[in-house]
Amino acid sequence: MIDYGKILQRYKPDNNEKERINSIVADITGRIREYCSEKAIDADPVLVGSVAKGTNMKSGDIDIFVTFSKKYEKRDMEKIGVRIGRAMLAQGIEKYAEHPYVTGELDGYKIDLVPSYRLEPGEKKVSSVDRTPLHTEFILKNLTEGMRDQVILLKLFMKHFGIYGSEIRVSGFSGYICELLIWKFESFENVVSKFARLSGKLIIGNITRDNLPDAPVVIADPVDSDRNAAAAVSLETFSIMKVASKLFVSEPSEAFLDPHPPNPKPDYRDRGTAIRLFSLPRPHVVDDIIYPQAVKFRNALMDILDSGGFGPVSSEISIDGDVQIVIECTRAASPVIRQRTGPPADSDNVLDFIRKYRGISERGPYVKGDRIYADVRAEPESIEEFVTNHLPEISMGRNLGTMRDKLVIVNPFSSNVRYDALDKFYSKKLI
Amino acid sequence: MIDYGKILQRYKPDNNEKERINSIVADITGRIREYCSEKAIDADPVLVGSVAKGTNMKSGDIDIFVTFSKKYEKRDMEKIGVRIGRAMLAQGIEKYAEHPYVTGELDGYKIDLVPSYRLEPGEKKVSSVDRTPLHTEFILKNLTEGMRDQVILLKLFMKHFGIYGSEIRVSGFSGYICELLIWKFESFENVVSKFARLSGKLIIGNITRDNLPDAPVVIADPVDSDRNAAAAVSLETFSIMKVASKLFVSEPSEAFLDPHPPNPKPDYRDRGTAIRLFSLPRPHVVDDIIYPQAVKFRNALMDILDSGGFGPVSSEISIDGDVQIVIECTRAASPVIRQRTGPPADSDNVLDFIRKYRGISERGPYVKGDRIYADVRAEPESIEEFVTNHLPEISMGRNLGTMRDKLVIVNPFSSNVRYDALDKFYSKKLI
């Protein structure tokens, strides 16, 4: 039997902490009200997120929205919102997601101050952040104290398996999804046993739009039934949740509720392959902007290495710190015979291709499918040479592209340095 | 300027040959009539194919249909048809395509005797061979003597590039398609300049069925507008015809009308890869039956070699003689680290997979997409060992499967023997 009470004691804020958080919130919301009244700004602070809903964990972030009257233009709302944030948080820095917002620290707690519009239930939303206060109300009204504890257990479980969080980098389950799952299934164990038995998609509620979103998990948002609250969940994190749930049901253990499982640094062992780390300084933009660019860069590297005959087979990405990409290839040098891909048969350029390769090709020119090709003999190149030569044509997104000239390629066996992406690559495992 | 008259002189039957063919045809059709009359069989011989249409080349085959009254059951028609064939051709052998038929030799000419039903234009067809006499009538009525010569030039061009013939092994242009192309475009040069300028599909006529067949070349059969006469043409032979036509238009040369271009035996040079020849005795069935089985076997070999980490990149098939398959891999030994593919996340078997690999895997078990995987360290195997070990599970079709135990795997560098498939592989080229 798992002692859930003991686990909650460890990860749920105690009364002391609750009081401390309450006083921080009271202080900052009071100061915001005062500031707005002095400057005649028609806006109110609203506590949102897990603290507002009573589903927060020890030392969790505090999220406060500053909700503006609709009379403000969007630009003004954002500008004034950021100004308020800077006035409240001395060391606060401005970040940019859908809106600009200010993030800083108070008394050891990370605080996000996000400007938004006031919105009544049923009212047409202006931006996705406007919906957040409605989520808070819904959870407060529909989840009992006991159910809120169950949310914390579910979050711990998901953190253990690295699938908690709707950031693009994780593409997992948000706090709100955890709350909705408990609202629907009542307890952590019920949720897990549901996932353990699940086959195919998870669908909860009716999305009122005709087209059911093409997502593995579809959960109609109770405050906006047009919206799939689980749109961020990827097929992979959904699959991990299914397998993790099967594991828990078959061998229930407290270990699966440890949000930070022990993760010893792995040896960078020789796998009989060619592993390279591609590292770039990280541009100053938030994760959700930089991560898709890292994915794009990774995909472009895999494609170009494939075209060079290096046989890329697996990869890993890390953006905590530098942008790091690990690619594992089957060979470290390009093959002596390389297939040159020519134009499609429909194109008049096939004649130029034929004239160019007729004399020098080892095999061909020949037609395969609807294209022309030729096999040529070429000097082998190393991964480093090949990627460096093709770097100008590798697509990697706007922000990451500015760092193109700072690319460093590392062979893990010729270095004693530890790299996040290599640690992730070598220690990749579910259990 | 190309002297087309000289080329036709070389490849078109002269008057002597025409007379010889006429007398062979008169002899055999006379004997068939006599036989049928003696045995009271209601059937008539009909000369079909290129000889009947005046589009035949020197020493070409002679095709004769024995058309039966519809009063015969299909089984009887086939049985009696084969009996007639055997009576006419002393050394004739029975083959099986859509119908059984008899093939043999008379006076140095290959003769096919094919039983079929009599059919009037517009009448519902019983089998595809019933349509052939209608094709003969259509071409005789619509192609002038000069146009029939143009058909021969077009056939020579297509033979040069290996795209003449509707057999599955070639998946190219049949004699009838050549005739229809000349009917439509009038001359060889017009056809070639049409293909040289073509972009995308070639569509001639209207197929009356709603669903336009999903084929690269669609030519409505003038005697049966429900039918795509060019259904056998593959994307690849179509693309070759486009490129070949561009070549001819840009550098017109008699050399492109040589049906048997010089093809010196290539050296089996080291390409820095691992090339293996897989050879099986050929079962006694026609090309159109065995070729798809060879393709199936090739695909299964590529898949299994891919799963073993050998990195198969290209292949070649030959069925002239033995069934021979060449596969080129990037490596001759399997890698030390191999990815084991586990069950989908939905399956309860993931738990068994996890229990099996949790302790012994080099990396994982991990989830990718909707499946579980584990990387394990394994003894490298050679291509020969690996394929032999997995042979029982390789799918290769009914007839070829009977030869499974006779598989021979050859490394071309450890042998001085020449192999058709290796010759094809090494000399693969358009020009």
Side-chain angles (χ1 to χ4, degrees):
Chain A
M1 277 293 291
I2 298 177
D3 186 346
Y4 291 115
K6 208 182 72 194
I7 296 174
L8 285 167
Q9 219 169 14
R10 196 177 316 146
Y11 296 107
K12 199 184 140 178
D14 57 18
N15 288 336
N16 270 344
E17 183 173 0
K18 279 183 190 164
E19 273 171 36
R20 207 161 68 244
I21 294 171
N22 284 343
S23 93
I24 294 171
V25 171
D27 167 60
I28 192 162
T29 52
R31 287 197 287 127
I32 292 171
R33 263 185 222 103
E34 211 172 305
Y35 184 97
C36 290
S37 142
E38 271 173 20
K39 315 250 176 197
I41 300 166
D42 188 356
D44 305 293
V46 182
L47 177 67
V48 297
S50 59
V51 173
K53 295 181 277 192
T55 56
N56 55 318
M57 315 224 302
K58 264 187 185 156
S59 314
D61 300 353
I62 299 172
D63 299 309
I64 290 169
F65 277 14
V66 183
T67 62
F68 282 74
S69 152
K70 291 250 183 63
K71 75 181 183 200
Y72 291 94
E73 295 282 330
K74 185 157 180 289
R75 289 264 154 186
D76 290 334
M77 179 268 278
E78 291 173 0
K79 217 164 55 188
I80 302 168
V82 167
R83 204 182 303 143
I84 297 172
R86 288 195 173 282
M88 297 304 120
L89 299 163
Q91 256 78 52
I93 54 171
E94 190 177 340
K95 290 207 169 178
Y96 198 95
E98 187 168 348
H99 282 189
Y101 66 99
V102 175
T103 181
E105 229 188 78
L106 270 185
D107 206 8
Y109 285 85
K110 181 166 165 276
I111 315 246
D112 284 346
L113 281 180
V114 184
S116 72
Y117 284 112
R118 271 185 217 120
L119 196 78
E120 303 305 319
E123 212 180 333
K124 200 175 161 334
K125 77 179 169 86
V126 178
S127 119
S128 65
V129 293
D130 302 331
R131 215 186 283 112
T132 307
L134 304 182
H135 290 166
T136 306
E137 280 169 41
F138 179 84
I139 296 302
L140 284 174
K141 209 166 80 188
N142 289 283
L143 262 61
T144 63
E145 177 76 27
M147 285 161 86
R148 291 177 212 171
D149 287 351
Q150 296 295 314
V151 170
I152 291 176
L153 295 174
L154 183 55
K155 287 183 182 178
L156 290 170
F157 183 76
M158 288 180 164
K159 277 174 188 250
H160 178 89
F161 288 103
I163 55 177
Y164 178 74
S166 60
E167 315 89 273
I168 299 175
R169 186 171 59 82
V170 180
S171 295
F173 298 78
S174 65
Y176 183 50
I177 291 296
C178 291
E179 289 153 3
L180 291 179
L181 288 170
I182 295 298
W183 166 61
K184 178 79 187 168
F185 301 108
E186 292 178 11
S187 74
F188 160 66
E189 287 193 348
N190 286 351
V191 170
V192 162
S193 85
K194 170 72 182 173
F195 274 91
R197 282 178 287 110
L198 193 60
S199 179
K201 291 189 173 208
L202 174 67
I203 297 174
I204 296 175
N206 290 311
I207 298 277
T208 45
R209 272 175 309 173
D210 281 348
N211 51 333
L212 189 72
D214 187 24
V217 183
V218 179
I219 302 180
D221 189 339
V223 309
D224 178 357
S225 57
D226 251 10
R227 173 179 178 258
N228 177 14
V233 179
S234 71
L235 177 65
E236 190 160 304
T237 50
F238 181 42
S239 299
I240 292 174
M241 181 62 187
K242 285 174 173 175
V243 175
S245 297
K246 283 183 206 292
L247 266 172
F248 185 87
V249 168
S250 95
E251 37 181 297
S253 155
E254 271 186 42
F256 293 128
L257 290 151
D258 179 354
H260 303 292
N263 189 14
K265 297 286 178 219
D267 285 341
Y268 297 164
R269 291 183 65 181
D270 185 359
R271 289 166 51 92
T273 54
I275 297 175
R276 294 292 180 279
L277 177 104
F278 301 85
S279 172
L280 287 170
R282 180 177 162 149
H284 293 290
V285 281
V286 296
D287 286 7
D288 277 4
I289 306 259
I290 205 62
Y291 192 78
Q293 296 185 16
V295 169
K296 191 174 186 179
F297 183 34
R298 189 268 316 270
N299 294 347
L301 279 172
M302 297 281 277
D303 285 349
I304 202 118
L305 286 166
D306 189 49
S307 78
F310 294 92
V313 285
S314 53
S315 68
E316 195 59 75
I317 296 175
S318 166
I319 59 165
D320 309 331
D322 292 340
V323 173
Q324 297 179 353
I325 290 163
V326 170
I327 295 183
E328 178 175 37
C329 295
T330 54
R331 47 193 302 159
S334 57
V336 276
I337 301 288
R338 267 178 263 178
Q339 188 187 58
R340 300 282 186 227
T341 302
D346 286 352
S347 158
D348 283 338
N349 296 333
V350 290
L351 293 179
D352 294 334
F353 186 86
I354 289 173
R355 281 180 199 119
K356 177 168 178 194
Y357 288 108
R358 176 148 58 175
I360 61 168
S361 67
E362 181 80 12
R363 202 165 77 110
Y366 55 88
V367 171
K368 217 168 66 181
D370 64 351
R371 268 187 186 278
I372 194 156
Y373 298 85
D375 294 356
V376 297
R377 203 164 273 270
E379 275 302 303
E381 285 175 287
S382 67
I383 292 177
E384 287 81 353
E385 286 167 338
F386 183 82
V387 168
T388 306
N389 289 340
H390 287 86
L391 193 57
E393 61 202 77
I394 291 178
S395 113
M396 52 173 93
R398 199 167 62 81
N399 306 89
L400 203 52
T402 62
M403 300 295 173
R404 193 183 294 264
D405 297 339
K406 304 201 172 66
L407 177 70
V408 174
I409 307 176
V410 179
N411 179 343
F413 303 124
S414 65
S415 157
N416 280 323
V417 184
R418 295 213 72 89
Y419 293 92
D420 286 345
L422 281 165
D423 287 348
K424 267 176 86 176
F425 178 83
Y426 275 94
S427 63
K428 186 181 181 77
K429 65 170 194 295
L430 187 72
I431 181 174
Chain B
M1 276 294 291
I2 298 177
D3 185 346
Y4 290 116
K6 208 182 73 195
I7 295 173
L8 285 167
Q9 221 170 14
R10 196 178 316 147
Y11 295 106
K12 199 183 141 177
D14 58 18
N15 288 335
N16 270 343
E17 182 172 0
K18 279 185 188 162
E19 274 171 35
R20 205 161 70 245
I21 294 171
N22 284 343
S23 92
I24 294 171
V25 170
D27 167 60
I28 193 162
T29 52
R31 286 198 286 126
I32 292 171
R33 262 184 223 102
E34 210 172 304
Y35 183 97
C36 289
S37 141
E38 271 174 20
K39 315 251 173 195
I41 299 167
D42 188 356
D44 305 294
V46 182
L47 177 67
V48 296
S50 61
V51 174
K53 294 180 278 191
T55 56
N56 55 318
M57 314 225 302
K58 265 187 186 154
S59 313
D61 301 353
I62 298 172
D63 298 310
I64 290 168
F65 275 13
V66 183
T67 62
F68 283 73
S69 154
K70 290 250 184 64
K71 74 180 183 200
Y72 292 93
E73 294 281 331
K74 186 158 181 286
R75 289 264 154 184
D76 290 334
M77 179 268 277
E78 291 174 359
K79 216 162 58 186
I80 303 168
V82 166
R83 203 182 302 143
I84 297 172
R86 289 195 172 282
M88 297 303 120
L89 298 164
Q91 255 77 54
I93 54 170
E94 190 177 341
K95 289 205 169 180
Y96 198 94
E98 188 168 348
H99 282 189
Y101 66 98
V102 175
T103 183
E105 229 188 78
L106 271 184
D107 208 7
Y109 284 84
K110 180 165 165 277
I111 315 245
D112 284 346
L113 282 180
V114 183
S116 71
Y117 284 113
R118 274 186 213 121
L119 196 76
E120 304 304 321
E123 212 181 331
K124 199 174 159 341
K125 77 175 168 85
V126 178
S127 117
S128 66
V129 294
D130 302 330
R131 214 187 283 111
T132 306
L134 304 182
H135 289 166
T136 306
E137 280 169 39
F138 179 85
I139 296 302
L140 286 174
K141 210 166 81 188
N142 289 282
L143 261 60
T144 64
E145 179 75 27
M147 285 162 86
R148 291 179 212 171
D149 286 352
Q150 296 295 315
V151 170
I152 291 176
L153 295 175
L154 183 56
K155 286 183 183 178
L156 290 170
F157 182 76
M158 288 180 165
K159 276 174 189 254
H160 179 88
F161 288 102
I163 55 176
Y164 178 74
S166 59
E167 314 90 273
I168 299 174
R169 188 170 58 82
V170 180
S171 295
F173 298 79
S174 66
Y176 184 51
I177 291 296
C178 291
E179 289 153 2
L180 291 180
L181 288 170
I182 295 297
W183 166 62
K184 178 81 188 169
F185 301 108
E186 292 178 10
S187 74
F188 160 67
E189 288 193 348
N190 287 351
V191 170
V192 161
S193 84
K194 170 72 183 174
F195 274 90
R197 281 177 289 109
L198 192 60
S199 180
K201 291 190 173 210
L202 174 67
I203 297 173
I204 296 175
N206 290 312
I207 298 276
T208 45
R209 272 174 308 171
D210 281 347
N211 51 333
L212 187 73
D214 187 24
V217 183
V218 179
I219 302 179
D221 189 341
V223 310
D224 178 357
S225 55
D226 252 11
R227 172 180 179 256
N228 177 15
V233 179
S234 70
L235 177 64
E236 189 159 304
T237 51
F238 180 43
S239 299
I240 292 174
M241 180 62 187
K242 285 173 174 176
V243 176
S245 297
K246 282 184 207 290
L247 265 172
F248 185 88
V249 169
S250 94
E251 38 183 296
S253 155
E254 272 185 41
F256 293 128
L257 289 151
D258 179 354
H260 302 291
N263 189 12
K265 295 285 178 221
D267 287 340
Y268 297 164
R269 292 181 65 181
D270 184 0
R271 288 166 51 90
T273 54
I275 295 175
R276 294 293 181 277
L277 178 103
F278 301 85
S279 173
L280 287 171
R282 180 177 161 147
H284 293 289
V285 282
V286 296
D287 286 6
D288 278 4
I289 305 262
I290 205 62
Y291 192 78
Q293 296 184 16
V295 169
K296 191 174 186 179
F297 182 33
R298 188 268 317 266
N299 295 347
L301 279 172
M302 298 278 280
D303 285 349
I304 202 116
L305 285 166
D306 189 48
S307 77
F310 294 93
V313 284
S314 54
S315 68
E316 195 59 76
I317 295 175
S318 166
I319 59 165
D320 310 332
D322 292 340
V323 173
Q324 297 179 353
I325 290 163
V326 171
I327 295 183
E328 179 175 36
C329 293
T330 53
R331 46 193 303 158
S334 56
V336 277
I337 300 289
R338 268 179 263 176
Q339 188 186 58
R340 301 280 185 229
T341 302
D346 286 351
S347 157
D348 282 338
N349 297 331
V350 290
L351 292 180
D352 295 334
F353 186 86
I354 288 173
R355 279 179 200 121
K356 177 168 178 193
Y357 288 108
R358 175 149 57 175
I360 61 169
S361 67
E362 181 79 13
R363 202 165 77 110
Y366 55 89
V367 171
K368 217 168 66 181
D370 64 351
R371 269 187 185 279
I372 194 156
Y373 299 84
D375 294 356
V376 296
R377 202 164 275 268
E379 274 304 302
E381 284 176 287
S382 68
I383 292 177
E384 288 80 352
E385 286 167 337
F386 183 82
V387 169
T388 305
N389 289 340
H390 287 86
L391 193 58
E393 62 204 77
I394 291 179
S395 112
M396 53 173 91
R398 199 167 60 82
N399 305 90
L400 202 53
T402 62
M403 300 295 174
R404 193 184 294 264
D405 296 340
K406 304 200 171 65
L407 177 70
V408 174
I409 306 175
V410 178
N411 180 343
F413 303 124
S414 66
S415 155
N416 280 324
V417 185
R418 296 213 71 89
Y419 293 92
D420 286 346
L422 280 166
D423 286 350
K424 268 176 84 175
F425 177 83
Y426 275 95
S427 63
K428 186 180 181 78
K429 65 170 193 293
L430 187 72
I431 180 172

